[in-house]
Amino acid sequence: MKLCINFKNVNKNNYTKFINKKNSAMAEKFKTVPVSERIVLLPHCMRSTKSCKAVDEGTYYTCMKCGACKIAQIQKLADELGYKKVYVMKGGKAIYNILVEQKIKAVVAVACHFEGAQGIKMTDGLKVMAQFVPLLKDGCCDTDVDVEAVKKIMEQK
């Protein structure tokens, strides 16, 4: 929670360098994984705090495509492309279980710089090909992402 309170103090440049390096290193292998074997991980902080209709599934939410936030756009694209599933995650620890239990081979992930860097380290250890898009506006609620940047990665083959 301290990070959430002090997110402006995080050195995003260091995280950005790390993330860009890892995205580049994994890009070609990521493209070899069929879309049907990829998932999308989104942070719950992207949900509209005022009008989200997502269904609470315990450790994650399922988007109902209500259009109140950009998650619906990403969910729709994932459906069109044939992605295995989109998870709107409540926290990072559940991600490990999803990756291991479902034997995920590739993931497109959106998060703040810090959480993204931690996620990349996790996926490295699990040999999961990850591509990460940092939030444009972070914090702990009503965050924002560049949907075109997410789309560009999701469409890679």
Side-chain angles (χ1 to χ4, degrees), residues 110-136:
V110 174
C112 64
H113 287 81
F114 174 79
E115 292 293 337
Q118 298 307 307
I120 288 172
K121 290 177 186 176
M122 179 195 313
T123 57
D124 271 358
L126 295 173
K127 305 288 189 241
V128 174
M129 298 304 111
Q131 292 292 284
F132 173 73
V133 180
L135 291 167
L136 294 172

Side-chain angles (χ1 to χ4, degrees), residues 91-152:
K93 291 187 179 187
I95 293 170
Y96 179 85
N97 293 334
I98 289 169
L99 296 175
V100 172
E101 290 170 9
Q102 295 189 26
K103 298 179 174 116
I104 300 301
K105 296 179 181 178
V107 60
V108 175
V110 174
C112 64
H113 287 81
F114 174 79
E115 292 293 337
Q118 298 307 307
I120 288 172
K121 290 177 186 176
M122 179 195 313
T123 57
D124 271 358
L126 295 173
K127 305 288 189 241
V128 174
M129 298 304 111
Q131 292 292 284
F132 173 73
V133 180
L135 291 167
L136 294 172
K137 173 189 172 239
D138 56 12
C140 291
C141 63
D142 297 318
T143 58
D144 192 20
V145 71
D146 179 350
V147 174
E148 286 303 312
V150 177
K151 181 180 178 181
K152 184 177 177 184

Side-chain angles (χ1 to χ4, degrees), residues 74-105:
I74 296 168
Q75 176 70 60
K76 183 179 177 199
L77 177 62
D79 292 345
E80 290 169 359
L81 294 172
Y83 269 72
K84 184 172 186 171
K85 185 151 177 81
V86 174
Y87 292 92
V88 182
M89 300 303 300
K90 292 182 181 180
K93 291 187 179 187
I95 293 170
Y96 179 85
N97 293 334
I98 289 169
L99 296 175
V100 172
E101 290 170 9
Q102 295 189 26
K103 298 179 174 116
I104 300 301
K105 296 179 181 178

Side-chain angles (χ1 to χ4, degrees), residues 18-33 38-42 83 99 104-111 116-117 119-120 123-124 128-134 145 149-157:
F18 172 74
I19 290 162
N20 289 342
K21 181 179 176 183
K22 287 298 189 174
N23 276 354
S24 293
M26 291 187 216
E28 290 307 312
K29 288 183 181 178
F30 175 84
K31 291 176 187 177
T32 67
V33 178
R38 300 178 192 172
I39 63 169
V40 179
L41 298 174
L42 303 173
Y83 269 72
L99 296 175
I104 300 301
K105 296 179 181 178
V107 60
V108 175
V110 174
I120 288 172
T123 57
D124 271 358
V128 174
M129 298 304 111
Q131 292 292 284
F132 173 73
V133 180
V145 71
V150 177
K151 181 180 178 181
K152 184 177 177 184
I153 288 176
M154 289 176 68
E155 291 177 335
Q156 291 180 359
K157 293 181 184 176

Side-chain angles (χ1 to χ4, degrees), residues 12-77:
K12 292 179 186 173
N13 289 333
N14 289 340
Y15 289 123
T16 300
K17 288 176 189 174
F18 172 74
I19 290 162
N20 289 342
K21 181 179 176 183
K22 287 298 189 174
N23 276 354
S24 293
M26 291 187 216
E28 290 307 312
K29 288 183 181 178
F30 175 84
K31 291 176 187 177
T32 67
V33 178
V35 174
S36 62
E37 296 179 28
R38 300 178 192 172
I39 63 169
V40 179
L41 298 174
L42 303 173
H44 71 93
C45 60
M46 283 179 55
R47 297 171 51 233
S48 169
T49 55
K50 294 182 178 158
S51 55
C52 179
K53 306 277 190 258
V55 174
D56 188 336
E57 304 283 358
T59 57
Y60 64 91
Y61 293 96
T62 297
C63 177
M64 299 310 292
K65 303 175 202 147
C66 69
C69 65
K70 292 182 178 179
I71 292 173
Q73 296 171 42
I74 296 168
Q75 176 70 60
K76 183 179 177 199
L77 177 62

